Amino acid sequence: MWLTWRVATERALYGEEGFYLRERPSGHFRTSVSASAAFAGAVLALLAEVDADLGEPDVLDLVDIGAGEGVLVTQVLEAAEPRLRDRLRVTAVDLSPRPAGLPERIEWSPVLPTEITGLAIANEWLDNVPLDVVEQTSEGPRLVMVNVHTGEEHVGGPLRPADRSWLERWWPLGRVGSRAEIGRPRDEAWASVLVRLTRGRAIAIDYAHPVDNRPLHGTLTGYRDGAVVTPVPDGTCDITAHVALDACAEAGRRAGAISTTLSTQREALRELGLTGERPPLELARSDARGYLRALARASEEGELIDASGLGGFGWLSQSK
């Protein structure tokens, strides 16, 4: 069966018996959440900032979009001071079934809340929003069709006007054979978050690339069991592509964002106090166990801010 990549990926990841309805992310790839609880600590610091900016409202939302196994919100809830924890309304948004043992206070939902006053965070969510792949031909850009059973491809028909406009603005193709991924569905997904944000901050974290440095042949990739594999949309692997966060930022502004920051995870986490600095050797002599704990924490922080790894993720922060 031949389909566009967007339709094929939607079925493979989220259709009946789709990859994300059947599998847990931790079994296939490493994220900032699984790398260290220090990431949850940074999110808690962000939440405290938002709380202060909003004047400590009676109810403060924390919404984790693409929550996976609910680890992030669980860790934040456990680490929060009672004065903040008692006012939190925590929602984990994911299409997969509710994980066993998730704290009762965490609402598990397949859809976004109608209104959000607080912090909405989407860590590696947008990269799994399905999109179309296009290839430049001598007759202009054309959709790439894929065989859902084998991953074999061929060039199909022309683009819809809205997709062609997006391509011309955000990913112009300069040569025959070059490829792009049409990020318009991700723009719309991100705008749907900003529309629901009444007051507070929304943050998207993902592998990203800017308009002046898009990859020549795109970034479509498959993951299975911790390894990169050929992306075949048959439901047996994750299918992902890097995110045009600059385009998402513009969609967020159109949806009402009044403040926008685009940075990297390294920059964002360092501002939140994660440095990866090793503890002083003097601590080893006075408190050996404390030194080892601090050393392990420094190693974890170092992974989170490593510019060649997780620290290279793009961070899009928008406020209303």
Side-chain angles (χ1 to χ4, degrees):
M1 179 188 298
W2 294 89
L3 298 172
T4 64
W5 267 108
R6 183 179 180 183
V7 173
T9 302
E10 181 73 35
R11 294 185 181 187
L13 298 185
Y14 308 114
E16 185 177 355
E17 293 299 311
F19 182 83
Y20 273 108
L21 275 65
R22 189 183 69 253
E23 302 285 339
R24 291 299 185 187
S26 62
H28 297 276
F29 46 85
R30 187 171 177 82
T31 68
S32 296
V33 176
S34 60
S36 173
F39 185 78
V43 172
L44 178 56
L46 279 172
L47 186 63
E49 286 183 7
V50 172
D51 187 38
D53 290 344
L54 297 180
E56 299 185 355
D58 292 339
V59 178
L60 181 70
D61 284 310
L62 172 60
V63 180
D64 183 10
I65 308 167
E69 292 152 90
V71 174
L72 176 61
V73 284
T74 298
Q75 291 178 339
V76 171
L77 191 60
E78 290 174 348
E81 296 283 346
R83 190 165 177 272
L84 174 60
R85 187 191 306 125
D86 292 344
R87 293 182 289 111
L88 281 179
R89 179 169 56 197
V90 183
T91 306
V93 180
D94 205 281
L95 294 177
S96 63
R98 181 185 180 96
L102 194 72
E104 292 183 4
R105 276 200 55 186
I106 298 173
E107 180 182 352
W108 191 264
S109 174
V111 297
L112 290 165
T114 304
E115 294 184 349
I116 302 170
T117 300
L119 175 64
I121 188 161
N123 182 48
E124 297 191 57
W125 170 58
L126 289 172
D127 68 302
N128 285 127
V129 174
L131 39 59
D132 279 321
V133 176
V134 300
E135 182 172 319
Q136 184 72 4
T137 73
S138 59
E139 299 177 343
R142 294 291 185 268
L143 286 168
V144 174
M145 309 298 291
V146 60
N147 184 305
V148 300
H149 302 296
T150 67
E152 182 184 358
E153 297 176 327
H154 71 72
V155 175
L159 280 61
R160 292 174 295 179
D163 287 341
R164 183 150 191 159
S165 295
W166 188 96
L167 188 70
E168 291 171 352
R169 169 65 180 86
W170 294 108
W171 199 329
L173 294 174
R175 66 178 72 174
V176 172
S178 58
R179 287 191 170 198
E181 294 128 10
I182 301 294
R184 195 167 61 86
R186 281 127 179 235
D187 297 353
E188 294 171 351
W190 185 243
S192 73
V193 178
L194 268 295
V195 165
R196 290 165 170 79
L197 186 68
T198 55
R199 289 195 306 148
R201 196 179 309 179
I203 296 176
I205 307 164
D206 244 308
Y207 284 115
H209 42 55
V211 66
D212 59 352
N213 192 29
R214 306 288 192 212
L216 182 61
H217 298 292
T219 62
L220 196 71
T221 307
Y223 284 96
R224 184 190 302 116
D225 299 329
V228 175
V229 298
T230 300
V232 178
D234 59 359
T236 64
C237 68
D238 178 30
I239 297 175
T240 178
H242 295 195
V243 182
L245 279 180
D246 43 8
C248 293
E250 178 59 32
R253 282 188 283 264
R254 291 196 301 268
I258 59 175
S259 175
T260 297
T261 301
L262 270 169
S263 63
T264 65
Q265 175 154 300
R266 179 179 176 83
E267 295 167 337
L269 293 187
R270 285 178 68 89
E271 287 184 2
L272 292 165
L274 275 65
T275 66
E277 292 182 3
R278 294 166 63 94
L281 285 173
E282 290 79 7
L283 180 62
R285 289 188 287 269
S286 62
D287 182 2
R289 290 183 179 179
Y291 175 79
L292 291 175
R293 287 194 298 270
L295 192 63
R297 168 81 180 204
S299 176
E300 292 176 358
E301 290 186 3
E303 181 181 2
L304 290 173
I305 63 175
D306 180 1
S308 64
L310 295 172
F313 272 53
W315 271 53
L316 168 60
S317 175
Q318 296 191 292
S319 300
K320 291 176 78 173

